[in-house]
Each structure stands twice: as structure tokens, then as C-alpha cells.
Amino acid sequence: MTIRVLPDQLASQIAAGEVVERPASVVKELIENALDAAATTIHVDIRAGGRDLIQVSDNGHGIPASQVETAFLRHATSKIQHASDLDAIQTLGFRGEALAAIASVSRLTVVTRAIGEPSGTRLVLHGGITQSQDQVGAPQGTVMAVENLFYNTPARLKFLKSITAERKTIDEHVTRYVLAYPGVRFRLTHDGRVTLQTNGTDNLLDALLAVYGPETARELLLIEPEEEEERLVRVTGYVGPPSLHWANRGQVTLFVNGRPIKDTQLTYAIIQAYHTLLPTGRYPMAVLFVNLPFEQVDVNVHPTKTEVRFRQGVSAFSAVQRAVRKTLIAGSPVRAVEGWSRPQTDSYPGWQGEHNTWPSQNQNPLDLDWGAPPPIPELTEPSAFSHQPSAVSPEPPTLNTQSSALSPQPSALGGNRLPIMRVVGQVGASYIITEGPDGLFLIDQHAAHERILYEQFLAAWERHNGQSSLPSQGLVTGVAVHLIPAQATVLGDQLDLLARLGFQVEPFGPNTFMVRAIPALLRQVDPAQALQAIVADLEQGDKPLQDKIEARIIRRVCKTAAIKAGQTLSVQEMEALVRQLETCHNPHTCPHGRPTLIHLSVAQLAKEFGRI
Ligand code: ADP
Ligand code: MG
């Protein structure tokens, strides 16, 4: 036989086997093209599980009339130009294969009108061969209608599953994009019926609501982004509480830089974070966004672009595991001492009396009722949570022993409240030991104080509605703080916000600021330290929303203002701290998610001493 280069159409059909496995692959590619075209509305209309029709309509930038035919050629793309572009791919598509592949195995009609062009184009291809091309009137955007998929590749057609099975896979794919792009209005119809619809509010919770319904969405735990330091890998999203479990891994949805991906390692990291919390053979749900610099991931691994390779796989793995675990711990009432087993039924004898405020009813859609506290597994990465004792500041801040008038009042709904505790003493100048109705507690004084200040601050902030300024306390002598120019620029932009929070800061020469007053609530804060910490936070943000900045600054100054580990406290100070912690809405973790206290129950003590 003679060796010859295959005709383009045949080559496309062969290549199509990799890209277009089934109707859902077509849906996926067309949605990705719409998203890459910056569409804000995407309609997906399916007939017979995609066998008869897959139509994706968008209001994106459209394809210029002169390029419509080119778009269907193999390796034709507008998204990359040079080999170096492959190093940092920012679009969902880049291989220039999908349209050629889809067209080669279907009857395809595209109607598109590009931004700025007076009319649209209608192009019809059968098996990749152009049948007709006309000028037509059309709204801006693109409609791709794919009919009779695999009509010319009978082998493929035979491998299609039932209409229901294909439809389900389509739903799964569409769902992922709905979650990944909450700012886009999606509508999915099957045989004329709307089955999924979002309104593009750009709020992930709305998308989760559309997908999972209110019952489940209400239970989900928000992953608070880590703000401690700049991290290469950012993990955001929601995870389900251990009470929500599923028969398979299908509800673990992962996105890397906005791309839905399959990754056994990262999925494992999530599942492992739930270790011992779920019944055997059950799986958690999670919607996790992993974001990292584009050059840190290689997306050119597989024709379907559903796999990625990380340049630093370990940091992605540990970032995911840490984020999920931290969220689960934050959602947990009191963290059990590691390795100390606590039977599920051991629900605090004697707790049912007057202090019966816990376990609670849900007071917040995202604070779940855990019932009996689940045992939290041993951390594989103790360093991720271990408290870093900060150096004792030269002038140790003093604790405000007068119960603050601004302390949040116990909410009518009860909540994750602590029992009344009696102070026993202090260990290592860092931990307070207390006795409660069922055993003893170890309280991390720094984390606890951070939590107290945070809630007091938030309560005051809410009372002022973010409008007028919070009360501040003037400094006898102003404190001058010098910054590098870039920092001065970001700080200069936020002086009004700082003023509203109670910081009076004014420019004082080039790149220098004078702190004249600090929030009255935080009179123990070191003004220069607080300002530096705020700047560090402002600097790392990639233009976060203003309300995020506020929350972040508040958390940051509370951390700076909180008493440090290593500071000896008087009995009165400890008592004041414990009383204030008892009034907190979320006393179990510091605002950054670390536990404030751990509990040793009477039963645990008895067990450890071999009494039972
Ligand atoms: P890729 O997405 O990898 O570039 P495709 O074969 O999917 O390759 O698409 C080829 C080109 O057609 C794209 O690069 C883009 O310029 C154009 N295109 C495809 N779909 C759309 C769309 N819905 N809106 C605007 N342009 C599109
Ligand atoms: Mg594409």
C-alpha cells in the first residue's frame, strides 16, 4: 500500500473521536466557545439527549463574516498565536479543534454576527463540507445548531447511550459551567422544557441554589479565602457539611482557573479532609475553585482539556486539603482533642438544663447544626494550624476587663454558644484552662481575644451601618509610619475607609502617614503595627471589592490588637476574656478559622485514666 496523507475531512473525523466522544462533549465545547466570546447569556437547547439537536446560543462577540468559514478549519483559532502562548493559557479553548471536529461528524448550522458588523452570516456544513453561506439579519452573538450527531460515523452512533444517560451527562457538564460562571445567565432546555436556569447575579450561592436547591445550598459551608500571607494557590468555594453525603464522587466539582477539571489527586485531597467524618462508602460534596497563576498550570494535556498538570502539584494538594479541613473545623462546635475518641452519643450530660444553648438550631444559613460534635481527624499537616506564638510586644497590650457595652448580645436564636465556664488557670502564658459542665476546656487566649474583638468590632460597624465613623481614641502624640511608594498609593486610596473604622490617618510628607487616632474599641493596638498590617493586606489584594476590604481590615486589626501568646494574664483578665468569649456568636474559632478552644469531656478523662 502507498503511504498518503489522509484527506482533511477524514483526518477531522479521526481527530473528532478524541474531542467529541458524545453529545455532552459538543455541549461543553460550544459553551466554552461562548464563554471565551465573553457571552453574558448562554442558552443550551437539547433534543433527544443531543442526538437530534444540540443548540448553543450566546450574546458574545460573534465571528466576523470574513472568518466564519475559517473557524471550522482544523487548528484554526483566534486564541493563541505563538508556541509561547501555550505557557499561560487564559481562555477555555486554544486548540482550534472543536468546531472542525464537531462539524465533521454532524450537520451544523451557525448563525453569527460580530460586534460592529451590520449583518450576520449563516453557514451550513454537512460532515464538515460547506453547503451554503449567506448574509442574514441576526442579533449580535452566535447560534450553533448541531443536528444528527455522528450521522456519518455509524460506529460512534452505536456507542451512544440511552437518551436519559446522554441527557444526564449533558446536565452534569452544563451544571459545572453554571457553577463556574455565576455571572452568566444560563438556560438549559431539554425537548423544550427548561431544566436549569440562572440569572447571572455573579453570586455563587445563587448558582448553587439553582443547581442544588435551597435545602442543600443552605447547608453549605463557605471556604473563607486565606489572607494570612500571599499564597500561590488560592482555594475558594463551598463544601458540604459531613451530614450531606453522596453515593459517589460526582458532587465534588473542581475548577482550576475557571476550567472544570477532573483530578484524582485534588479530589482525594478533598475526600481525605473528611476522613472519619462520613460513613464509609459515602462521599462529600464540594464546589471548589483553585486559582493560581496561569503559568503554574499546563492545560494542554488532553484534547478534551479536562485534565491539567500542576507545576507544583504538592502545593495545590495541600492548599485544597488545608482549605477544606479549615472550613470543616470552623463549622464544628468544639474541637475534640486529637486522638481522643468521643462517641457520637456522648452529648454533654447535664447540658439540657438552663445552659442548654447547644447544640443549636441553625442561626445562619451557612452555620450548620452539627448535632453531636463529630470527631475531627488528626491533622496531617499540624503546621497549617499550629499557633505561631508571636513575640511579646514591648508594651504588652492590656485586656479591657470592663465588659464592653458593645459586646454582641446573645441572639434570640441561640447559636453555637459556650457553656458557662469557671477559670482554673493559665498554662504557658498562652492558654487558659476552664471548667465547664462536662469536663475542661483549653482556650487559646490570642485566638479567643481575636474572636472577641472581631465580633465587637463587627457589631459596632453594623450599628453604624458603615456610614458614620466608629468612635476613635486620639493618640497623645501622633505616630508617623513610613511606607514604600506602592504601599503609600494603596493606603492613600483607603484613608476614608480607615476613618470610618476609627483610624485617623493623614498624609505626612512623601510616603509617610501620621496616625492621629485609633478605633476606641482597639485601644490596645499598636498604631504603627496596625497600619503596617493593613497595608500588607491592601497590597496583596487584586482589587477586591470594597466590602471585602473592610472585612479584611477588620480581621487584620483585630488580630494585631489581640493579646499575644506569651502574655501572663491576671485572674480578672482571664475571667473577662472568658465571659466575653461566652457572648460571642461564633466562639469556637478565631476569625481566621483556627480553633479558640478545645474540650476534654469528663468521659474522655475517665477513659484516659482507665476508669471506664
Ligand atoms: P478554539 O476554541 O480552541 O479556539 P474552536 O474550534 O472551538 O477552537 O473555535 C474556533 C474559533 O472560532 C475560535 O477561536 C473563535 O475565534 C471562533 N468561535 C467559535 N465559537 C465562537 C462563538 N460562540 N463566538 C465567537 N467566536 C467563536
Ligand atoms: Mg473552542
Side-chain angles (χ1 to χ4, degrees):
M1 261 179 97
T2 329
I3 299 176
R4 59 184 129 232
V5 175
L6 294 175
D8 252 9
Q9 197 203 354
L10 185 49
S12 290
Q13 280 185 4
I14 292 171
E18 290 183 322
V19 184
V20 188
E21 248 182 297
R22 55 198 299 188
S25 343
V26 176
V27 173
K28 169 184 182 296
E29 294 295 340
L30 296 183
I31 291 179
E32 290 196 349
N33 281 346
L35 290 167
D36 282 345
T40 54
T41 300
I42 300 178
H43 289 178
V44 181
D45 299 296
I46 306 293
R47 293 208 176 270
R51 284 162 179 251
D52 293 356
L53 174 74
I54 297 164
Q55 180 172 300
V56 176
S57 324
D58 69 59
N59 64 349
H61 56 53
I63 309 176
S66 61
Q67 291 173 24
V68 179
E69 234 188 323
T70 313
F72 289 87
L73 298 178
R74 264 200 305 150
H75 310 303
T77 180
S78 57
K79 297 169 195 174
I80 58 170
Q81 281 186 46
H82 309 289
S84 58
D85 295 339
L86 287 174
D87 297 339
I89 289 166
Q90 313 197 9
T91 47
L92 293 164
F94 59 91
R95 298 172 61 100
E97 288 181 324
L99 290 189
I102 296 165
S104 73
V105 291
S106 69
R107 297 192 172 97
L108 190 149
T109 305
V110 53
V111 175
T112 183
R113 182 165 71 83
I115 283 186
E117 294 202 347
S119 59
T121 308
R122 181 171 187 271
L123 173 71
V124 180
L125 304 110
H126 287 178
I129 312 281
T130 300
Q131 307 294 306
S132 65
Q133 177 165 3
D134 330 277
Q135 210 182 17
V136 292
Q140 186 205 308
T142 304
V143 181
M144 296 267 177
V146 177
E147 291 169 282
N148 311 123
L149 185 66
F150 300 139
Y151 80 99
N152 53 352
T153 52
R156 279 269 146 179
L157 198 57
K158 259 204 310 237
F159 277 99
L160 283 188
K161 301 206 175 118
S162 68
I163 287 179
T164 316
E166 295 300 343
R167 185 177 153 160
K168 175 170 169 281
T169 314
I170 291 171
D171 291 344
E172 286 166 2
H173 277 76
V174 176
T175 298
R176 287 190 203 124
Y177 292 96
V178 161
L179 294 175
Y181 296 87
V184 174
R185 294 149 60 91
F186 279 94
R187 194 194 70 192
L188 169 65
T189 69
H190 283 287
D191 305 309
R193 283 228 189 100
V194 177
T195 59
L196 182 58
Q197 191 160 20
T198 59
N199 41 17
T201 56
D202 208 12
N203 182 346
L204 175 57
L205 209 49
D206 287 333
L208 285 163
L209 216 89
V211 172
Y212 288 101
E215 293 288 290
T216 301
R218 189 186 308 134
E219 298 261 288
L220 299 178
L221 306 172
L222 174 70
I223 294 179
E224 295 281 359
E226 290 188 285
E227 359 229 19
E228 297 283 86
E229 61 251 34
E230 253 173 283
R231 293 199 184 270
L232 192 64
V233 185
R234 257 177 69 84
V235 180
T236 54
Y238 287 87
V239 291
S243 55
L244 276 182
H245 40 75
W246 306 71
N248 56 43
R249 285 152 213 250
Q251 300 314 314
V252 174
T253 315
L254 272 170
F255 304 92
V256 172
N257 290 347
R259 185 187 300 278
I261 59 138
K262 297 249 173 270
D263 189 292
T264 38
Q265 283 291 308
L266 293 189
T267 304
Y268 179 68
I270 297 168
I271 293 171
Q272 217 201 15
Y274 283 82
H275 182 59
T276 75
L277 296 179
L278 299 179
T280 39
R282 304 290 296 179
Y283 296 89
M285 74 163 285
V287 178
L288 236 71
F289 298 84
V290 180
N291 283 293
L292 65 175
F294 289 110
E295 63 277 4
Q296 287 291 323
V297 263
D298 185 1
V299 295
N300 190 18
V301 177
H302 192 266
T304 59
K305 302 163 290 177
T306 49
E307 283 168 41
V308 296
R309 223 178 267 132
F310 295 97
R311 304 250 188 274
Q312 294 175 33
V314 182
S315 56
F317 185 93
S318 57
V320 165
Q321 200 190 36
R322 193 171 51 231
V324 176
R325 176 113 33 164
K326 197 173 95 174
T327 307
L328 292 175
I329 289 173
S332 150
V334 176
R335 185 155 170 262
V337 172
E338 290 174 5
W340 296 57
S341 57
R342 177 195 287 163
Q344 284 292 103
T345 48
D346 172 15
S347 58
Y348 299 77
W351 214 258
Q352 316 307 329
E354 53 180 317
H355 306 309
N356 184 16
T357 52
W358 187 74
S360 65
Q361 290 307 308
N362 292 353
Q363 76 277 36
N364 166 325
L366 296 174
D367 273 353
L368 73 160
D369 175 10
W370 289 71
I376 301 291
E378 209 148 18
L379 297 172
T380 50
E381 272 186 300
S383 61
F385 290 95
S386 69
H387 180 71
Q388 300 285 319
S390 335
V392 182
S393 59
E395 287 167 85
T398 51
L399 200 64
N400 174 18
T401 45
Q402 284 109 51
S403 173
S404 166
L406 294 173
S407 302
Q409 293 308 304
S411 90
L413 291 163
N416 260 347
R417 290 303 161 79
L418 295 178
I420 303 295
M421 297 183 285
R422 178 177 74 84
V423 171
V424 177
Q426 196 185 16
V427 187
S430 303
Y431 306 103
I432 300 167
I433 304 181
T434 65
E435 186 190 6
D438 175 38
L440 60 90
F441 293 82
L442 280 164
I443 299 173
D444 179 324
Q445 64 192 41
H446 171 71
H449 195 209
E450 212 181 321
R451 162 57 65 187
I452 292 163
L453 291 175
Y454 180 63
E455 293 206 0
Q456 291 180 348
F457 210 102
L458 275 192
W461 183 239
E462 262 159 39
R463 209 166 306 132
H464 285 255
N465 232 338
Q467 297 303 320
S468 58
S469 307
L470 291 186
S472 56
Q473 170 148 339
L475 301 172
V476 181
T477 47
V479 176
V481 181
H482 184 83
L483 303 171
I484 62 168
Q487 293 176 326
T489 308
V490 289
L491 184 66
D493 269 358
Q494 299 294 344
L495 295 183
D496 286 349
L497 168 62
L498 290 186
R500 278 186 283 125
L501 293 173
F503 283 98
Q504 263 177 45
V505 180
E506 27 189 83
F508 190 74
N511 301 321
T512 305
F513 292 85
M514 181 66 84
V515 187
R516 300 267 181 214
I518 55 172
L521 263 174
L522 304 178
R523 48 187 152 273
Q524 55 272 70
V525 77
D526 171 330
Q529 236 187 336
L531 202 66
Q532 293 281 6
I534 291 170
V535 169
D537 260 11
L538 289 175
E539 236 193 331
Q540 67 159 246
D542 35 350
K543 291 223 173 30
L545 297 171
Q546 194 65 22
D547 59 335
K548 296 241 174 73
I549 297 183
E550 287 165 16
R552 207 144 102 173
I553 290 179
I554 293 173
R555 273 200 291 267
R556 171 61 62 182
V557 294
C558 291
K559 185 176 178 63
T560 314
I563 46 157
K564 304 285 183 281
Q567 186 177 333
T568 310
L569 301 178
S570 69
V571 173
Q572 287 85 340
E573 285 176 320
M574 289 190 276
E575 272 169 358
L577 188 131
V578 169
R579 292 290 92 82
Q580 290 176 28
L581 187 64
E582 283 163 4
T583 67
C584 284
H585 287 263
N586 288 298
H588 302 97
T589 58
C590 80
H592 296 91
R594 282 191 307 275
T596 50
L597 76 172
I598 52 184
H599 178 229
L600 284 175
S601 70
V602 170
Q604 287 168 336
L605 289 170
K607 191 161 158 248
E608 288 299 308
F609 283 110
R611 286 168 165 272
I612 50 172

